[in-house]
Amino acid sequence: GVHRWAFEAARNGAPDACQPLQLQELFAALELGDAAAVATAGLTASFGWTSAEAFEQQDVQEFCKVLLDRLEEVMGEGAVSRAFAGSSVSFVSCPEARHFSEREESFADISLRLRGHATLQEALLAYNRAEQLTGANQYKCEDGVLRDAVKG
């Protein structure tokens, strides 16, 4: 992981432009320091952002993707994806037509609706809850007929 990674100037370039090194220094300051907060200026600057750009709102998913891609590039193929990627299986079941299909998909992040949930665990349970496809939301089977089904 990023704690064990070792900076090499010949391979990784300038220290102030190396995101893994800046992230490592940030984690070290958080873990070893006594301050209630730590500055993220080094990590921000490593992306090449000016101080004005640092105050612009950034899309957190895009930032995460850029950071993880850069970590993967520097730390080696698979080092980051093993820790931050996953897979899920989605399915559709239509008992009346005796139809069941499932599909496995890889993901690096999920869009989780937090509003209306007291805890992260509640939000994850809701995310994985099967959906009843009934009424105006029926499932269109392979034969073209709309039927009640379950999607999860």
Side-chain angles (χ1 to χ4, degrees):
V2 74
H3 281 92
R4 287 179 293 212
W5 176 80
F7 174 75
E8 297 174 26
R11 201 170 124 212
N12 304 121
D16 60 345
C18 181
Q19 289 95 10
L21 177 62
Q22 295 302 319
L23 187 63
Q24 193 176 54
E25 289 179 358
L26 178 64
F27 285 164
L30 286 167
E31 188 173 337
L32 304 173
D34 293 330
V38 296
T40 60
L43 180 60
T44 302
S46 72
F47 284 94
W49 296 332
T50 65
S51 55
E53 290 172 317
F55 289 102
E56 292 177 11
Q57 184 172 344
Q58 304 291 325
D59 182 301
V60 73
Q61 282 183 304
E62 184 60 26
F63 170 76
C64 187
K65 182 179 179 347
V66 169
L67 179 61
L68 294 180
D69 286 349
R70 181 66 179 127
L71 289 172
E72 184 86 12
E73 179 184 310
V74 171
M75 295 174 68
E77 193 72 28
V80 174
S81 60
R82 281 192 299 274
F84 291 100
S87 65
S88 65
V89 176
S90 57
F91 70 90
V92 174
S93 174
C94 181
E96 184 182 332
R98 295 190 177 143
H99 170 80
F100 181 85
S101 64
E102 64 182 12
R103 181 177 68 202
E104 184 172 358
E105 298 175 280
S106 298
F107 64 85
D109 59 32
I110 59 173
S111 294
L112 194 60
R113 184 177 301 270
L114 298 175
R115 189 176 311 267
H117 301 289
T119 66
L120 179 59
Q121 185 173 1
E122 264 186 33
L124 285 166
L125 288 170
Y127 178 82
N128 287 306
R129 191 171 294 129
E131 176 185 357
Q132 301 294 320
L133 303 177
T134 60
N137 195 29
Q138 283 185 313
Y139 177 72
K140 188 172 189 176
C141 291
E142 292 175 359
D143 61 6
V145 176
L146 293 173
R147 294 187 175 93
D148 289 349
V150 178
K151 177 182 171 186

